Amino acid sequence: MKKIFLSLCLLGVISNASSQEFANAPKPFGPVPTQKQIDWQEMEFYAFVHFSLNTFTNKEWGYGDESPELFNPSQLDVRQWARVVKEAGMKGIILVAKHHDGFCLWPSAYTERSVKNSPWENGKGDLVKELAEACKEYDLKLGLYLSPWDRNHPQYGKPEYITYFRNQLKELLTNYGDVFEMWFDGANGGDGYYGGANETRKINSLTYYNWDETYKLIYDIAPKTLVWGVWLI
C-alpha cells in the first residue's frame, strides 16, 4: 500500500512540475507557423508527377512550339498512380498541370493549347479532373503545379499575360475541389516560341507577377491552400 501511495505522490509531483514548466514557457518570438503549415508538415511526404507533353517529346523543358496532338497516352490510368502512392504511405499528389511550354492538362477556357486539342480521349479528356477523382477515392490530397513562365503564350512578358495566368489559377482552384498546395518555381523568362515570335523575353520576377495580389487571389478563393516555391530572383 505504501508503494502505491508513494507512486501516486511521485506522479503528482511530476505532473505538477510539468504543468508549472509549461506555464513558465517563453512566449513565441518572431514568425510562427500557421495551422495549414503545421498540417503540411504532418503530411510527411507525397508524390510529384510530371506527365505532360514533355513525356512525348523527351524534353525537360518544352520550347512552346510543340503540337498538342503529340499528347496521346494509350494506357493512362491515374487511379493506378493514386493506388501506388497510397500503398507507399504518401498522403498526396502534386500534378504538373502546366509546365513552361504552356500545354494544359485540363481543357482551359483561356487557351487552345490544352488536352482539348489533343487526340487523347478525342479531345474530351481532363487529366486534372481524373486525378482529383482518383485522389478522393484513395483519400489523398491534391496539389497542382502551374508554371508562371509560359514559352508559348504571345503576351508573356506583357501585362495582359498576368490576367491570363490568374484566370488559369481560378480555374484550377475552383473546378477540382480542395487543392492543398499550389506549386510555382523560379523559371521565369528567357527564350521561347511566344506565339511565333521566337525571341528572348526577360522579366523582373520581383514585380512582374505582382505576387502580393496573386497570393491574395489564391487565399480568397482557397484559404486552406498552401503556396510553395516562388523564388524571387
Side-chain angles (χ1 to χ4, degrees):
M1 191 68 178
K2 281 185 176 180
K3 289 183 178 179
I4 295 174
F5 177 73
L6 287 171
S7 296
L8 289 173
C9 287
L10 183 60
L11 190 62
V13 170
I14 293 171
S15 176
N16 188 54
S18 297
S19 299
Q20 187 67 27
E21 184 180 350
F22 180 76
N24 294 331
K27 293 182 179 181
F29 176 78
V32 295
T34 63
Q35 185 58 51
K36 64 182 177 183
Q37 288 172 327
I38 293 171
D39 293 342
W40 177 82
Q41 289 284 353
E42 291 177 349
M43 286 187 66
E44 297 176 334
F45 80 126
Y46 44 86
F48 197 108
V49 177
H50 187 176
F51 179 86
S52 187
L53 199 57
N54 297 357
T55 307
F56 299 89
T57 61
N58 197 30
K59 297 177 182 178
E60 181 182 3
W61 291 6
Y63 187 69
D65 58 352
E66 305 83 7
S67 171
E69 294 185 4
L70 294 172
F71 185 80
N72 190 23
S74 58
Q75 298 180 340
L76 178 60
D77 183 0
V78 296
R79 291 184 69 255
Q80 180 198 45
W81 299 357
R83 175 179 57 79
V84 171
V85 165
K86 187 71 174 182
E87 289 174 353
M90 301 185 199
K91 297 179 181 178
I93 302 176
I94 290 183
L95 175 69
V96 175
K98 185 188 84 168
H99 204 242
H100 311 323
D101 61 279
F103 181 74
C104 302
L105 291 181
W106 78 101
S108 175
Y110 300 99
T111 182
E112 296 302 308
R113 189 170 174 75
S114 78
V115 288
K116 66 186 178 185
N117 284 315
S118 77
W120 177 60
E121 295 191 1
N122 296 315
K124 303 299 182 183
D126 186 337
L127 203 152
V128 178
K129 180 181 178 181
E130 288 191 15
L131 185 59
E133 291 172 349
C135 284
K136 186 175 182 180
E137 178 181 349
Y138 284 91
D139 192 27
L140 296 166
K141 294 183 182 294
L142 174 70
L144 296 170
Y145 169 115
L146 182 69
S147 171
W149 185 22
D150 191 319
R151 302 176 87 180
N152 171 268
H153 202 281
Q155 293 178 319
Y156 181 79
K158 304 174 183 178
E160 293 84 357
Y161 174 77
I162 304 306
T163 300
Y164 171 76
F165 178 60
R166 291 176 180 168
N167 281 335
Q168 291 196 323
L169 270 174
K170 291 176 189 176
E171 287 183 316
L172 293 173
L173 291 169
T174 57
N175 294 336
Y176 301 103
D178 291 339
V179 175
F180 84 92
E181 184 173 328
M182 278 304 311
W183 210 99
F184 305 121
D185 69 15
N188 293 295
D191 60 339
Y193 178 69
Y194 302 127
N198 290 308
E199 62 188 18
T200 298
R201 296 184 181 178
K202 297 194 179 284
I203 56 97
N204 183 337
S205 60
L206 289 169
T207 58
Y208 176 59
Y209 301 101
N210 192 348
W211 286 115
D212 287 342
E213 287 299 316
T214 301
Y215 272 43
K216 184 178 184 301
L217 168 71
I218 294 170
Y219 297 146
D220 284 347
I221 297 173
K224 293 182 179 180
T225 297
L226 194 73
V227 178
W228 190 96
V230 177
W231 302 340
L232 299 178
I233 57 174

